Amino acid sequence: MHQILRRFSILLGLCGLFWWLLVLLIPQPERLFQPSSTAVYYRDGKVAHAFLAPDDRWRLAVELNDIDPNYIKAIVEIEDKRFWWHFGFDPLAILRAATQNILNGEVVSGASTLTMQLVRILEPRERTLTSKLIEAFRASQLEYFYTKSEILSYYLTFVPYGRNIEGVEAASLLYFGHRANHLDSREIATLIAVPQNPNQRYPRVENHERLKWSRDHIAHLLHKKKILPISEAQDFEQVFSATPPSRLWPFPKEVPHISVQLNQQSKGHERILTTIDSDLQRQIEQLVGRHKSRLNQSDIHHIAVLVVDNQSSEIRAIMGGFDFFDSHTGAQIPAFSVPRNCGSTLKPFLYAYALDQGLVLPSTLIRDIPEQFGGYTPRNFMGNYDGLVPLEDSLVRSLNAPFIRLLADVGFGRFASLILKGGGTRFEKRIHDYGLSMMLGAELSPWELAQLYAMMGQNGQYRPVHVLMDTVTPKVQRLLSQASVWMTAQTLQRRDRPDFPARSAFATTRSIAWKTGTSVGFRDAWSAGWYGDYTVVVWVGNLDYRSSQGLIGAEAAAPIFFDVVEALPIQPKAPKPTDVIEVEVCAFSGHIPKSSCEKKTTLGIQDRIPTRICPYHHDFEVDLLHNERVFPGCREGKETELRRFLMLPSSVQAWFPGQIEHPPSISETCRGSYVPEVEPGSLKILSPYAGQISMLLRGVPKERQPIAMMADYPDPNAKLSWFVNDEWVATQKAGETVFWPPIVGRHVLRVNDSHGHTASRAIEVMLP
């Protein structure tokens, strides 16, 4: 007997070893590793968009914490009571099933565990004894490699629900229109009933009676076990009097533009959790949709909208077009990723940057005249000019010429570096093509512009915006001071401006800092800004670059922008930074005042106040008898009075007709003691522009092809002398144009006043 037991033990051990080797050596079911559908989720966990799995099935991978706990209890109770302790197959269930089948003379009960059912789903076979043995082996193999929770998660992912629907999560979405994390009693019973005979029970009219009977039968069994979530106040029969679903819900296809893009970038990830707020997204889509007909009537068909949470740099809402499924050309292109001419939307950043550099104050006068900058001649949108205009008015009126002048003073390279650091990454590829034209013609995508404006909304601190919850964002980087951003916001919050939409009808108490933009040729319309914790960017246009007279920022984009902002929670006003102080300036020029200036106060940054003194006001003593200028050393015996004169550069005087009283000429007796009030650098050549190349026409006398030479100088009565290659050409009053008959070759032009100030410029004259 002892020998028999010993041999039996050895045989049992060898069988166990053989079984274990088979478990290790035989590959696991291949379909277990089949990718599931990729799903894009809102930040609250709701499914926003789902894509078919590679095998053309709706199947969403789940974990147990994704599923209603009551359903998990119920499925284990109905399908496999001893699931949590058996090792793949259940000997007690096998014994019970065998006894019942023998007593009844037919198969009336099965013994398949949930693990064995999973095997049968993954590897379908005919229902034979051999198949049962293989399933038992496969089940033990899965139990060896995976935990019970993992096995149940796989089962709930692959369990069939009719047609091409697999898994409880996909079924819940298609049956009930919501995820499986919260299920009521009827839904639990339905989701258990259908997999027992999927094709005969999934929701459709023909299956209605079969599904209802199976659901109610399972519900009664569960109710006896007190597993269904039915309270004592609820009546079971009343709860289950409701009919089961008879049709399928459509799978979620929301936020399609960003979802498709994320799916393409997912690298196999099946769960893409975004930062998008589902309620805000739907509200904004509804608001924006109201504008579609209006824009379509103006032959405008594409749009991009982004809403960013400034504190976290997370995108809360995003639109890449009106209707992804529209047949219109380009409807599927995510417009928020397409670089477009951003018009005037970069002006607030130059404004803030110039404040930070201590170059200007909001009230500083900037030249608003047609100027040439290396062959580039910017024009104001409306085609008119003011000569001189306060910088803050230039911003709210979106004047182009003053900002090109300011960019030239700031330096293109330094400002371009700010835009690059602030998220304008695509701008880098063309940085050397722009020059000063970047102020009006830089190409940025709405996403990139949103990053820049979010930096303003975060008080000058930059952090890349993102749409994925698990994004690790870099440390914030300060690009602008809080003071300069706050001062820029005060200017942009003004409503006495031409780009405020429907000014007579639109009313809001919100302090919104915004800027509109319109590209040259009417191909892009923008409105961008920030409001408290939120940044909003709106672009409208046509992705095929077709122009439309309706593509004006204030008319096409701004109404949408304000609708979106009004949908956001009310935000408090930003407090004034402690280093923003009141500064006394010249009431006319905005510069540090002279004694001859009338004065006013404006805001400035405490340690960044410009030091330039007002260059426009001058006090002169005038001989009343002869109406001539005199000076302390030559006024004896003359009756004089001190008069104040406004002396503007000759280049801007044409915009102030009748407003300028030129000082009288200097008395002959005083000319030797005259010292002009001219700052270094005030003498500037306006024409020709630096590096100009002039082409002469063959056969036309050079006298008929003169090069115009003109300078800018504060004193219009001063005499200026012009030289070409150090040879004198002419001496004329400032503001008058000198014409020089050109000579082929390279030349250096120079202009001098009579007191040692000089300016020069290199040009080239060529034959074609």
Side-chain angles (χ1 to χ4, degrees), residues 585-604:
V585 296
C586 171
F588 173 77
S589 69
H591 289 287
I592 300 301
K594 290 180 177 178
S595 58
S596 54
C597 292
E598 293 185 9
K599 301 174 181 64
K600 69 175 183 180
T601 59
T602 188
L603 296 177

Side-chain angles (χ1 to χ4, degrees), residues 76-88:
V76 171
E77 175 65 27
I78 294 296
E79 297 291 346
D80 190 359
K81 293 182 177 61
R82 287 175 287 277
F83 169 76
W84 296 107
W85 65 263
H86 66 61
F87 43 85

Side-chain angles (χ1 to χ4, degrees), residues 87-165:
F87 43 85
F89 53 89
D90 186 352
L92 295 179
I94 294 172
L95 181 61
R96 171 190 54 77
T99 302
Q100 291 178 348
N101 294 339
I102 291 171
L103 292 175
N104 287 276
E106 60 179 344
V107 177
V108 296
S109 177
S112 293
T113 63
L114 283 172
T115 313
M116 292 174 68
Q117 291 182 46
L118 173 61
V119 171
R120 188 162 58 246
I121 293 169
L122 298 175
E123 297 177 329
R125 295 181 178 86
E126 292 185 9
R127 305 295 292 273
T128 64
L129 180 59
T130 302
S131 297
K132 285 288 184 181
L133 291 174
I134 295 174
E135 288 171 8
F137 165 75
R138 281 298 208 183
S140 63
Q141 184 183 35
L142 294 180
E143 295 276 349
Y144 177 82
F145 283 105
Y146 301 102
T147 66
K148 287 289 187 179
S149 295
E150 289 172 333
I151 290 171
L152 188 53
S153 295
Y154 279 126
Y155 174 82
L156 297 179
T157 297
F158 285 95
V159 62
Y161 278 94
R163 300 174 65 176
N164 65 338
I165 307 166

